[in-house]
Amino acid sequence: MTMDTPGGAPHLEAAASPGQEQVVRRICARVAGPVAGADVHVASLPLGGVQVWLDGSGHRWRFYHRMARELRLAGWHTETGPDRLLLLGWSAACLSHRARMLGAALAGRLADFDRTAFTAVMLATRLRHRGFPAGDLPAEVEAHCRESLRWPARLADLRGLQRRSSLESLRLRLAQVAGLETKVGRRCGEHLALAGKVARLVAGGVPPSRPAFTPQGAPGRDLWTEAVPPRDIPFGGRAPGVPPRGVSAPRAGLTERLVCVSVPNVDTSEDGLGGVSAVTAP
């Protein structure tokens, strides 16, 4: 039995969890990419855990180390061999590392809504200038932001996995990780909702094509005014509690100005002869 602390009690659970093979295959296929991902094979070990190997790949060693890094981030202990990758169960050290990484994401990138809004505005504007269809723009911007956030894909890989352990210390760590993952999933949904709203504004107000990301796949809330501070709301849209135009209010920030200069003037009249809504930054 592998130990996380020399000379101490084992801090590794070798028993397989329901759904483990499917989750491991999804993680390894994502890390390997679309080409090598089709050659990923996963099988259970007799005493618990799973083994992973690739067929027909000339860079298996490189892929195995990338897979091992992502599997350790999920909380599993791994060992890399010349021809296959072994996953031996939950590790207390790896679960603690996952908790630290989830906490760092919440306090770092996922706390920066300005960066998401800026990225969405720049990407949507660039795509519109290239003639990208307006109806597909929100989905494209959300997909780019989902990839840059990284955690939506990692959380989606874990669907169907039942994490359990016979060791009390591991059960506590698994519960801590599950709670942090719920917070990260909710925050990712807020970022993707913001990116989609910005993209729709740049595209001229096209209706949403699909709900925002949530960990359980449920439709996301309209977080444009709930999750984002008032200074990040585009000029012209008023959040609850914000004074109407004409009442003293803080000046528009960088995000509002970027959206304002990016949104084209739209003819909203039925006859096309008037009613052009000009969007200008304050």
Side-chain angles (χ1 to χ4, degrees):
M1 175 68 71
T2 304
M3 309 240 182
D4 285 338
T5 54
H11 288 267
L12 186 144
E13 178 68 55
S17 300
Q20 186 180 62
E21 287 188 35
Q22 292 80 2
V23 169
V24 171
R25 182 178 288 106
R26 280 196 294 264
I27 292 175
C28 293
R30 174 174 58 83
V31 173
V35 178
D39 297 327
V40 172
H41 300 278
V42 179
S44 298
L45 293 172
L47 299 179
V50 298
Q51 55 183 333
V52 183
W53 71 95
L54 286 171
D55 286 338
S57 175
H59 304 281
R60 289 186 298 179
W61 182 257
R62 181 182 64 185
F63 285 124
Y64 289 160
H65 278 276
R66 290 179 180 176
M67 295 173 185
R69 182 170 61 249
E70 197 70 17
L71 291 171
R72 286 195 297 269
L73 180 58
W76 283 302
H77 176 84
T78 64
E79 293 185 6
T80 305
D83 59 344
R84 63 194 56 224
L85 172 67
L86 301 180
L87 184 149
L88 301 180
W90 297 118
S91 163
C94 293
L95 287 171
S96 297
H97 175 65
R98 183 172 182 80
R100 287 193 298 270
M101 295 300 293
L102 288 165
L106 288 170
R109 175 64 183 91
L110 294 179
D112 190 358
F113 285 95
D114 279 340
R115 180 175 172 182
T116 296
F118 181 86
T119 300
V121 169
M122 294 295 99
L123 178 61
T125 303
R126 189 184 312 121
L127 291 174
R128 285 296 286 154
H129 287 168
R130 294 177 181 175
F132 197 85
D136 299 334
L137 193 63
E140 182 68 18
V141 172
E142 286 185 38
H144 176 86
C145 292
R146 182 180 292 104
E147 183 178 356
S148 66
L149 291 174
R150 304 184 69 178
W151 281 105
R154 287 170 172 164
L155 296 181
D157 286 339
L158 299 178
R159 64 184 183 275
L161 176 66
Q162 299 179 25
R163 287 175 282 191
R164 61 192 185 190
S165 173
S166 60
L167 302 176
E168 180 67 22
S169 59
L170 290 183
R171 286 200 298 269
L172 293 174
R173 284 178 169 87
L174 287 170
Q176 178 190 18
V177 166
L180 288 170
E181 286 175 353
T182 300
K183 294 180 181 179
V184 167
R186 188 181 302 117
R187 190 73 61 81
C188 287
E190 295 170 357
H191 278 268
L192 295 180
L194 170 60
K197 288 283 189 177
V198 171
R200 284 190 288 275
L201 285 173
V202 174
V206 296
S209 58
R210 54 186 173 79
F213 164 83
T214 56
Q216 294 78 21
R221 297 173 298 157
D222 187 355
L223 298 164
W224 181 242
T225 57
E226 294 181 38
V228 187
R231 61 188 179 85
D232 289 329
I233 300 174
F235 185 74
R238 184 165 59 89
V242 177
R245 188 173 298 182
V247 181
S248 177
R251 290 184 58 82
L254 174 62
T255 302
E256 300 96 309
R257 294 176 183 274
L258 286 171
V259 175
C260 290
V261 300
S262 302
V263 177
N265 295 337
V266 180
D267 190 349
T268 58
S269 64
E270 295 182 359
D271 55 5
L273 300 177
V276 176
S277 58
V279 183
T280 56

